[in-house]
Amino acid sequence: MASSYRETVIDGYNLIHKFSKPRDSAQMAKLRERLETMLARYRQKSRRHVILVYDGGSGPKPLTTAGAIDVTFSGTVKSADRWIIDHVCSLGARAAMTLVVSSDREIQRYSTAHGAKCIDSETFIDELAAMGIVIDESKRRNARSAGGISKSAPGPLSDKEVDYWLRLFDRKR
């Protein structure tokens, strides 16, 4: 079934920590920039509104546009988790058109209870890869040099990959 989700809300640091372990604040800043670039590509391909939420900042900052996505820092009083939960709760019936990306069980419980669809960060990373959005740019370069096909790619698609493509083209098994 084709996705009817119009908005994707992402727990930023939760997602970053699933694909990298930053050593310091400078590396974290680079990872945030890389994530925002990847999500701008995701936004183009999925045509979904993307809200990326990070913990911290000196105060709750309004959504700021970073290219094609909205980025916010939750501030010192509220965590990104609480920001996401409050956002989904505020959507009412529109929560059913929202996809929440986080591996945090509390976010998943509250979001699901209010009608949003939730996937964990690892699954979202797999979906990005299936869309051709690669986390590690060195892997992207290797794939390009192999004529667009990774030499280490397995033969047949997994059931998860098949289901993704069938959903994308609104087909059933």
Side-chain angles (χ1 to χ4, degrees):
M1 177 192 295
S3 173
S4 60
Y5 304 114
R6 299 192 180 175
E7 178 177 81
T8 302
V9 180
I10 300 168
D11 184 351
Y13 289 135
N14 181 274
L15 183 58
I16 285 174
H17 286 287
K18 297 302 177 187
F19 67 81
S20 185
K21 303 293 180 217
R23 294 179 303 274
D24 54 34
S25 60
Q27 186 181 22
M28 180 59 82
K30 287 180 184 178
L31 289 170
R32 280 195 307 265
E33 184 178 316
R34 189 163 90 193
L35 177 60
E36 291 164 17
T37 300
M38 289 170 25
L39 292 175
R41 282 187 248 144
Y42 167 77
R43 163 70 176 97
Q44 283 181 313
K45 289 183 179 219
S46 69
R47 297 180 184 245
R48 294 179 185 163
H49 178 225
V50 175
I51 300 175
L52 177 61
V53 185
Y54 295 116
D55 286 304
S58 58
K61 296 180 183 171
L63 294 175
T64 56
T65 302
I69 64 171
D70 292 330
V71 178
T72 192
F73 286 83
S74 63
T76 56
V77 176
K78 186 187 282 193
S79 69
D81 297 3
R82 182 83 272 175
W83 192 100
I84 292 168
I85 290 167
D86 290 350
H87 176 73
V88 172
C89 291
S90 75
L91 294 173
R94 292 178 303 154
M97 296 185 297
T98 302
L99 174 66
V100 176
V101 177
S102 179
S103 295
D104 184 285
R105 298 293 180 227
E106 182 180 21
I107 291 174
Q108 292 175 354
R109 272 194 313 274
Y110 277 97
S111 298
T112 302
H114 284 87
K117 164 102 165 86
C118 296
I119 61 171
D120 60 35
S121 294
E122 297 87 350
T123 301
F124 186 69
I125 289 168
D126 291 343
E127 287 190 11
L128 290 174
M131 294 172 80
I133 302 170
V134 180
I135 302 288
D136 186 348
E137 287 301 316
S138 66
K139 289 180 183 175
R140 178 182 281 288
R141 283 190 291 276
N142 291 342
R144 278 193 200 133
S145 65
I149 299 172
S150 174
K151 290 180 181 176
S152 63
L157 295 175
S158 69
D159 286 345
K160 191 177 196 178
E161 291 168 316
V162 170
D163 289 339
Y164 170 79
W165 288 108
L166 290 173
R167 281 192 319 269
L168 184 66
F169 292 102
D170 197 19
R171 306 246 192 240
K172 295 181 182 173
R173 267 192 187 209

